[in-house]
Amino acid sequence: MEITRTIIAVCLGLVVASQAQDCSKPVPGPNMDLKDSDIVLTTFPDGSRATFVCSLGYTTAVGSRVVTCTAGTWSQVTLQCKKKICGSPGQVDNGEIKYLSENEFGDRIVVTCNLGFRLVGKRELICGDQGWLGRLPVCEVVTCDLPAGIPNGLFKPVKDVYNYREVVQYSCTGDFTLSGSKSVTCSEDGTFTPGLPQCTEVECADPKVANGEWVSGSRPPHKYLATVTYRCNAGYKMEGDASMECGLNGQWMPGIPKCTAVTCSPPSTITSGTFSPQKPLYQYLETVAYSCDQGFTLSGSKSLSCSLDGTFNGSPPTCNKKTCGSAGQVDNGEIEYLPGKEFGDKLVVTCNPGFRLVGKRELTCGDQGWLGRLPECEEVECSHPKVANGEWVSGSHPPHKYLDTVTYRCNAGYKMEGDATMVCSLNGQWTPGIPKCTAVTCSPPPTITSGTFSPQKPLYQYLETVAYSCDQGFTLSGSKSLSCSLDGTFNGSPPTCNTVTCSPPPTITSGTFSPQKPLYQYQEMVEYSCDQGFTLSGSKSLSCSLDGTFNGSPPTCSSRPSPTAVVGTLVALTGVGGIVGFLVYWNKRQSSRKDLHGKQGTETEEEVALS
């Protein structure tokens, strides 16, 4: 029970402690501050209140100015401050107020006065916490004091004060002349404008015009507004005005003229002509003479003179082409003028068909007429063509006229170079030209593989023949000879040389041959042999010959008696001596066979028996 009381007491103490917590200085909202003594406090006890006020130039818009500290936290700030409004400052007579932005705290106004009035007071006012700071200025009418007088002069009207834009007129006395503005005006700054004039005694010096003379006007002394007129001597022209007036500054207006020597720029050039002398400038009355180029005639004034106005008088002449006229006629021809009959133009002569031109085809129109004699048109004739090793076939006979034709052919063994038919052309020549008949020759004929031809030479005459032959072991297929033909080539195709081969030789009865194969090369041999019990009769071997067959006839195999019968017969006929002779013969035969065939094969039964 005692423990429970202790826990409750501790908890109550903690609650009381938490509820009594202080607050730090509250944070003001925009455009506001803490009021009076609250400004200096840094902490506020629990339950205390702080008051806000709007900053200078601001006033309360909405919300409470008071916040309360509760358990270390301030209540929400609801106060809102807005700028104070100054309202209208009033009006300025004879002036204007310009608001630079609005009429709230810190804004400005600017006062300007109407033309003819000046500002008295401050030009600008600022909207402050209690309204516009200062008094509005005043716009007073502008006035000018009495203007200053000028020596030897007067002004009017004379008054103590002159209003804005009021005018005062000045004038001079005696022989003095007013220099400057005759009137001045009271301006917006309270002064007369423009500046005051002056009264001066004006006199101009007598003008000196070189190469000129006085015509009319005043004589010295020349006073203000006096006039004089001058003119230039002959051959001179005036630069400036002839009449002058004495001005306020003692100078002649618009200035003293000058008399300068008259010169002319070069005159106009002319087409197909020129003038002389040629120079950059010409003196007064100087003359130029015009002339035309060769082939042209001058029309107009031959010369022009430099006149007083600085130009050459009159119009320049012109140069016209000379005309040659008709050149005449050309018999059997026609003349064409290109483009006409004037200087530099040309004429062209063309002859009628069947006629040719003798002389110059073109003439030119020159300075004295057509340059040269007209050509003539002669009838065209071609000389009789000579064709060596050829003969006339058809066509015209002499004399050969324009467009006549002839045809030739070459003799046997000759070929034609050029066209066989010719036409007599306008230039008296045969076209396309006289042909030539040249001896027919052939280059060597084609060579053949594994063979040759004869005779061999660089060139062969027409109908000359070559004979082909094959190398050993080859046989000729095709024509053996070729001839040089009329077209300059060997007629026909060359033969070919094929390898010689033999089919197998004939077989023999009771015998065979070796080797055995489908084909045999040239000079290859086969050897015959008989079966056991048979004897070979004839040539033992045959060879493959050039004609593709085995040469000679094959041998034959015939049957033979047994050795016992042979011995018995010998004994009966010859006795013992015959047997001995037979054995000697047999041994020699065996030795001979060894010499012919080398190593001896297996002996036959008959040989064993006989031995």
Side-chain angles (χ1 to χ4, degrees):
M1 188 66 178
E2 189 64 32
I3 293 173
T4 301
R5 290 195 188 104
T6 303
I7 291 172
I8 291 172
V10 170
C11 290
L12 289 173
L14 290 174
V15 170
V16 171
S18 65
Q19 290 177 346
Q21 187 175 353
D22 294 342
C23 291
S24 60
K25 180 183 289 188
V27 178
N31 304 310
M32 63 181 69
D33 301 295
L34 285 171
K35 182 181 178 184
D36 301 336
S37 60
D38 292 343
I39 296 175
V40 298
L41 297 177
T42 57
T43 59
F44 292 79
D46 181 57
S48 62
R49 297 195 303 172
T51 302
F52 289 104
V53 292
C54 290
S55 302
L56 185 68
Y58 289 83
T59 186
T60 300
V62 294
S64 173
R65 297 192 300 166
V66 178
V67 292
T68 303
C69 174
T70 304
T73 302
W74 290 102
S75 60
Q76 184 178 359
V77 178
T78 60
L79 177 65
Q80 294 182 9
C81 297
K82 64 178 181 178
K83 278 186 178 182
K84 288 183 178 181
I85 298 175
C86 288
S88 173
Q91 291 184 340
V92 176
D93 294 335
N94 303 308
E96 182 183 359
I97 298 175
K98 183 178 181 181
Y99 295 88
L100 298 183
S101 54
E102 299 292 339
N103 58 355
E104 296 179 340
F105 176 76
D107 293 340
R108 292 184 302 155
I109 61 171
V110 175
V111 178
T112 56
C113 291
N114 299 337
L115 196 63
F117 294 84
R118 58 185 171 190
L119 194 75
V120 178
K122 291 177 63 178
R123 181 172 175 270
E124 288 188 359
L125 296 182
I126 300 174
C127 178
D129 186 62
Q130 301 300 320
W132 293 103
L133 303 177
R135 295 177 59 188
L136 277 175
V138 176
C139 289
E140 293 181 348
V141 66
V142 173
T143 59
C144 294
D145 294 333
L146 185 71
I150 58 174
N152 304 306
L154 303 171
F155 66 85
K156 61 178 181 180
V158 178
K159 302 166 61 175
D160 291 334
V161 175
Y162 297 82
N163 291 327
Y164 172 63
R165 287 188 176 175
E166 195 168 356
V167 176
V168 172
Q169 301 284 343
Y170 280 86
S171 61
C172 294
T173 60
D175 292 333
F176 289 86
T177 302
L178 195 71
S179 174
S181 178
K182 185 178 180 180
S183 60
V184 293
T185 303
C186 179
S187 63
E188 61 265 20
D189 64 356
T191 62
F192 281 95
T193 58
L196 298 179
Q198 292 179 343
C199 289
T200 58
E201 190 174 11
V202 177
E203 184 176 324
C204 292
D206 194 41
K208 296 185 183 300
V209 181
N211 301 307
E213 60 183 353
W214 179 90
V215 176
S216 63
S218 70
R219 291 295 189 179
H222 302 285
K223 298 296 182 180
Y224 176 62
L225 295 182
T227 61
V228 290
T229 302
Y230 278 73
R231 67 184 172 198
C232 292
N233 300 335
Y236 292 85
K237 64 180 178 180
M238 185 169 284
E239 293 182 2
D241 291 350
S243 294
M244 302 164 277
E245 184 179 81
C246 181
L248 270 175
N249 59 356
Q251 301 295 320
W252 291 101
M253 303 299 291
I256 298 174
K258 292 181 180 179
C259 290
T260 57
V262 173
T263 58
C264 294
S265 297
S268 301
T269 58
I270 57 173
T271 304
S272 304
T274 186
F275 59 83
S276 66
Q278 290 192 3
K279 50 204 286 196
L281 287 176
Y282 297 82
Q283 300 299 317
Y284 174 60
L285 295 180
E286 192 170 2
T287 300
V288 295
Y290 281 89
S291 62
C292 291
D293 298 339
Q294 187 178 16
F296 291 82
T297 303
L298 195 76
S299 175
S301 177
K302 185 178 181 180
S303 62
L304 296 179
S305 298
C306 178
S307 61
L308 200 57
D309 63 357
T311 62
F312 279 88
N313 59 331
S315 299
T318 58
C319 291
N320 302 316
K321 278 187 178 181
K322 289 184 177 180
T323 301
C324 287
S326 174
Q329 289 184 340
V330 176
D331 294 335
N332 301 308
E334 183 180 351
I335 299 174
E336 183 180 7
Y337 295 93
L338 303 174
K341 302 174 184 177
E342 295 180 338
F343 176 78
D345 292 343
K346 295 181 183 296
L347 66 78
V348 177
V349 178
T350 54
C351 293
N352 298 337
F355 293 84
R356 65 179 174 183
L357 196 75
V358 178
K360 291 177 63 178
R361 180 173 177 268
E362 288 188 356
L363 295 182
T364 303
C365 178
D367 188 59
Q368 303 300 323
W370 293 104
L371 302 177
R373 296 179 57 187
L374 279 175
E376 297 178 355
C377 290
E378 292 183 348
E379 190 174 11
V380 174
E381 185 175 320
C382 294
S383 60
H384 188 66
K386 298 182 184 300
V387 182
N389 301 307
E391 60 181 354
W392 179 91
V393 177
S394 63
S396 67
H397 291 283
H400 302 284
K401 302 296 183 182
Y402 175 61
L403 295 183
D404 283 353
T405 62
V406 291
T407 301
Y408 278 73
R409 68 184 170 200
C410 292
N411 300 336
Y414 292 84
K415 62 180 179 180
M416 186 169 285
E417 293 180 2
D419 289 352
T421 301
M422 302 161 276
V423 180
C424 181
S425 63
L426 201 58
N427 61 358
Q429 302 296 320
W430 292 100
T431 57
I434 299 174
K436 292 181 180 179
C437 289
T438 58
V440 174
T441 58
C442 295
S443 297
T447 58
I448 58 174
T449 305
S450 304
T452 186
F453 61 83
S454 65
Q456 292 193 1
K457 49 204 285 194
L459 287 176
Y460 299 80
Q461 300 300 317
Y462 173 61
L463 295 181
E464 192 171 0
T465 302
V466 296
Y468 282 89
S469 60
C470 292
D471 299 340
Q472 192 174 17
F474 293 85
T475 183
L476 195 75
S477 176
S479 178
K480 184 178 181 181
S481 62
L482 298 178
S483 298
C484 178
S485 62
L486 199 57
D487 64 356
T489 63
F490 279 88
N491 60 332
S493 300
T496 57
C497 289
N498 303 318
T499 305
V500 174
T501 58
C502 295
S503 299
T507 58
I508 57 174
T509 305
S510 303
T512 185
F513 61 84
S514 66
Q516 291 191 7
K517 49 204 286 194
L519 285 176
Y520 297 82
Q521 300 296 319
Y522 172 63
Q523 291 188 341
E524 192 172 2
M525 299 183 65
V526 296
E527 188 171 300
Y528 284 88
S529 61
C530 293
D531 297 340
Q532 188 175 3
F534 291 84
T535 302
L536 191 74
S537 176
S539 176
K540 184 179 181 180
S541 60
L542 298 179
S543 62
C544 179
S545 63
L546 199 59
D547 62 359
T549 63
F550 279 89
N551 60 334
S553 300
T556 58
C557 291
S558 56
S559 61
R560 61 186 177 190
S562 66
T564 304
V566 172
V567 172
T569 302
L570 288 174
V571 170
L573 294 174
T574 64
V576 176
I579 294 173
V580 172
F582 174 77
L583 292 175
V584 171
Y585 162 75
W586 182 261
N587 287 329
K588 288 182 178 180
R589 183 170 178 269
Q590 290 295 98
S591 299
S592 176
R593 291 183 65 183
K594 288 180 181 179
D595 292 338
L596 288 173
H597 302 292
K599 186 178 179 182
Q600 188 68 346
T602 307
E603 293 180 328
T604 63
E605 292 179 359
E606 290 85 354
E607 291 170 341
V608 174
L610 287 174
S611 63

